[in-house]
Amino acid sequence: MPLRRPRVSTVPVATPALLRAVFDAAAEAMLLCSAEDDTVLLANPAAIALVPGLAPGGPLAEAPLPALVTAAAAGDDSFRSDHHHRFLYGMRRDLDAAHYAWYLRDHTDERDRTVALEAERARAAFLADAGRRLSASLHLRLVLRTTVELAVEHLADAAVVVLPPAKRQSGWIRLLPGHPVEEGTLAERNLADVPGLVEALDGFPPIPSRWLDPAQAPGWLFPAALGPIGALLVIPLPGNAEPAGALILARTGTRTFQEDDEALTRVFASRAGAALAAAGLYRDQVDVTEVLQADLLPPELPETEGFELAGSYQAASDVLRIGGDFYEVFGPSGASTDTMIALGDVCGTGPEAAVLTGKVRQTLRALRVVQAGPETMLRVLNQALTESGRSQRFVTLVVGSVSRAEQGRVRLELASGGHPPPLVLRTDGTVEEVPARGTLIGVLPKTTVHPATAELAPGELCLLYSDGLTEARGGPTGAEQFGEDRLRRALADCAGLPGAVTLERLRQLVSDWLHGGASDDIAMLAVRARTRPPLSLRGGGVPNQSPYLMTNRRADRRVRPRA
């Protein structure tokens, strides 16, 4: 068998010139170093361009890249360094026993993209937090405070918000680092002292901070404790159709506002302005609502002689505190010494019912001035409502006159327009119904009224109430009405109690019945004849021999319809 000759490699051996050419042509920056004495043998053009001043032939310890020198001396295999505004990364690799190489990479673009991404995330997080905190309240002062706090936390060293002038005065709020929030007012003539402030309050675009001279800022704007101001920025706070104010920012020392800072501030200002506008609108609405409520809420009951008055009102909406139920009391007017009372229920609940309630009460007041009686009041009111064209709205109403009678009794002349009949509570706990009847007010052109008279002995009470009391749904099933029978039993248990205590007890019973559920408006008005003091306290006689006490049991319990 013939012997085989060993195969000889045909790959040519690279010459030094070829190796150098390949080394120089490499796109990655490389240094070839001697393992014996750490001399830089070769540095390709990419490495020399990345590290100016780097040249082969010298020791690595003298390379113009401090991070590389430190890593080589410490025996590290890598390093990161900011060098001449470039972010460099170095990695060492051993080639053979006598040589090793350093590979240098420029990560500046990646670093810049990472920094930009982190900055954008920080801006987005700031704006999200600002939106959440600014929208957390509609209280104007709290929104103002939040605005300056956010501005000092993220945008500047000090912040001031100036509101548009009203009655030649502008409100302002200021926050300095390490100081509490300050508030005050500023005369309109002083607004021109701050460069760009008048324009910002007029809603004009912001003036770039580089155009504003911080030295022109008046001393009252930022106190000397803040230190020298290096940059000033005045930004409008856009509102709803008109500016909500202006934001003034200051940076101290040599810090300035860059374009990115101003762009971020404009976005923040738009959100702060929207929050301020919403808070201002809410404040205006609250002011208007309070003015309207002042005339729609139940009246203060007057002090009367011979009888006491007590009222209770609970609106279906706790927010508005007004609704469709109401009661009204008119004291003596002109030649009449009687006290007029009224309790009614307008169809519906909420603002619309409250508006009609106000009209009804004003009409009753006008009719009282001309000394119209209960029947006349109902007929005129019915005519006014039917002729108004709002037939979808109607009212149930009880109107009455209260006068003193002989022997401490109280007489009530009552007229009803489709309303639940009043109830009379006698001293022995008996509950009687006043037979006053009539048609709904505001439905038919002609109303029918059947008035009735009730007399109260001392200590007896007449209750006027709206159907929200008896129609309150709750109880064990949550859907059962409180009902008239339950009301009569509850009222009977209140015999001998003052009027205010009686109404509070009824109100509490209905509240317990509801178990926190929704209810209609509930109005109650009580007229109670005052209890006569014992004869011994009035000077003379024995109480049980009084003719009044002997005869009032039968004579005073009279509830009768009028012809």
Side-chain angles (χ1 to χ4, degrees):
M1 184 175 180
L3 297 175
R4 290 186 177 182
R5 299 178 60 183
R7 298 183 63 183
V8 178
S9 173
T10 60
V11 178
V13 178
T15 63
L18 178 61
L19 290 176
R20 186 179 185 90
V22 172
F23 190 77
D24 290 345
E28 187 172 13
M30 295 186 294
L31 301 178
L32 180 63
C33 301
S34 170
E36 181 179 356
D37 56 5
D38 292 327
T39 301
V40 179
L41 301 177
L42 292 175
N44 68 351
I48 295 174
L50 196 61
V51 184
L54 182 64
L60 187 62
E62 296 179 0
L65 184 57
L68 172 61
V69 175
T70 301
D76 296 335
D77 292 333
S78 64
F79 70 87
R80 297 175 185 273
S81 173
D82 280 308
H83 183 71
H84 292 177
H85 306 295
R86 311 295 295 178
F87 184 70
L88 306 182
Y89 172 72
M91 181 175 58
R92 172 179 168 152
R93 289 290 183 268
D94 292 330
L95 302 179
D96 55 26
H99 302 86
Y100 64 90
W102 277 98
Y103 297 90
L104 306 180
R105 296 173 182 172
D106 185 359
H107 286 187
T108 303
D109 293 341
E110 291 84 346
R111 189 271 314 269
D112 291 346
R113 285 194 294 268
T114 301
V115 171
L117 179 61
E118 291 176 353
E120 184 60 32
R121 287 176 176 173
R123 286 192 291 268
F126 160 60
L127 293 175
D129 180 55
R132 177 184 58 81
R133 291 172 58 180
L134 289 169
S135 62
S137 173
L138 287 174
H139 192 284
L140 182 59
R141 292 182 62 187
L142 183 57
V143 175
L144 286 169
R145 185 186 186 97
T146 302
T147 299
V148 293
E149 288 176 348
L150 286 168
V152 172
E153 289 174 13
H154 299 276
L155 300 174
D157 296 320
V160 177
V161 171
V162 180
L163 297 177
K167 297 181 179 179
R168 300 190 178 278
Q169 294 284 330
S170 287
W172 59 266
I173 183 170
R174 176 175 61 200
L175 179 60
L176 305 179
H179 292 75
V181 174
E182 303 172 273
E183 299 178 359
T185 58
L186 177 67
E188 185 178 5
R189 64 178 180 276
N190 293 332
L191 298 178
D193 296 343
V194 182
L197 179 56
V198 174
E199 292 80 3
L201 290 174
D202 288 337
F204 288 101
I207 301 175
S209 61
R210 63 182 180 275
W211 292 4
L212 300 177
D213 184 4
Q216 295 181 3
W220 53 261
L221 181 61
F222 294 109
L226 180 62
I229 300 176
L232 192 68
L233 183 61
V234 181
I235 296 285
L237 296 173
N240 184 17
E242 60 182 12
L247 175 64
I248 306 173
L249 302 179
R251 287 184 174 179
T252 57
T254 58
R255 298 179 63 208
T256 60
F257 291 100
Q258 305 299 322
E259 290 186 5
D260 290 346
D261 299 329
E262 297 192 20
L264 178 62
T265 302
R266 285 194 294 271
V267 177
F268 168 73
S270 65
R271 302 191 179 188
L276 288 173
L281 180 60
Y282 177 75
R283 181 191 60 183
D284 294 341
Q285 291 177 341
V286 168
D287 292 342
V288 172
T289 301
E290 289 180 350
V291 172
L292 296 176
Q293 284 181 342
D295 199 45
L296 292 176
L297 290 174
E300 293 186 7
L301 300 180
E303 289 290 336
T304 55
E305 185 176 356
F307 59 93
E308 60 179 278
L309 296 170
S312 174
Y313 177 72
Q314 180 177 341
S317 171
D318 293 334
V319 177
L320 289 177
R321 298 186 296 128
I322 55 177
D325 291 7
F326 67 95
Y327 62 82
E328 191 66 84
V329 177
F330 308 106
S333 175
S336 175
T337 59
D338 296 347
T339 297
M340 297 295 297
I341 60 174
L343 186 142
D345 182 359
V346 173
C347 171
T349 60
E352 291 187 7
V355 170
L356 185 54
T357 296
K359 293 180 179 180
V360 171
R361 292 174 64 182
Q362 290 294 339
T363 303
L364 294 177
R365 290 190 185 105
L367 293 173
R368 174 59 175 168
V369 171
V370 298
Q371 301 183 15
E375 294 181 57
T376 304
M377 284 185 173
L378 292 180
R379 298 183 191 280
V380 173
L381 181 60
N382 182 76
Q383 182 180 357
L385 292 181
T386 54
E387 292 179 356
S388 68
R390 296 177 62 101
S391 58
Q392 71 276 16
R393 290 289 182 183
F394 60 87
V395 182
T396 67
L397 189 66
V398 174
V399 182
S401 64
V402 185
S403 60
R404 299 175 62 189
E406 68 278 2
Q407 297 182 335
R409 293 177 297 179
V410 174
R411 179 178 291 109
L412 289 86
E413 304 287 342
L414 298 170
S416 174
H419 199 81
L423 301 177
V424 173
L425 174 62
R426 300 302 182 184
T427 54
D428 62 358
T430 303
V431 176
E432 302 174 4
E433 183 179 288
V434 180
R437 298 288 187 271
T439 54
L440 295 174
I441 305 300
V443 177
L444 301 175
K446 184 177 180 180
T447 184
T448 301
V449 180
H450 298 286
T453 301
E455 291 189 359
L456 306 177
E460 295 181 339
L461 176 145
C462 180
L463 174 67
L464 282 64
Y465 63 94
S466 63
D467 58 10
L469 181 63
T470 54
E471 294 179 0
R473 293 186 178 273
T477 65
E480 183 181 355
Q481 290 188 352
F482 191 73
E484 294 184 3
D485 292 340
R486 192 171 283 104
L487 172 61
R488 289 170 179 262
R489 293 195 299 269
L491 184 60
D493 293 337
C494 298
L497 296 179
V501 177
T502 299
L503 297 189
E504 177 58 26
R505 179 175 175 81
L506 295 177
R507 188 198 65 79
Q508 187 60 51
L509 288 174
V510 173
S511 178
D512 294 342
W513 181 259
L514 290 168
H515 295 297
S519 69
D520 197 358
D521 303 327
I522 299 176
M524 294 183 286
L525 182 64
V527 180
R528 183 174 183 269
R530 296 189 185 277
T531 304
R532 293 167 59 90
L535 292 179
S536 59
L537 300 180
R538 291 184 282 135
V542 180
N544 59 11
Q545 294 179 350
S546 167
Y548 167 75
L549 293 177
M550 293 171 58
T551 61
N552 73 345
R553 184 177 301 274
R554 182 178 61 185
D556 287 341
R557 291 192 178 177
R558 292 178 294 173
V559 176
R560 60 185 185 273
R562 290 170 50 196

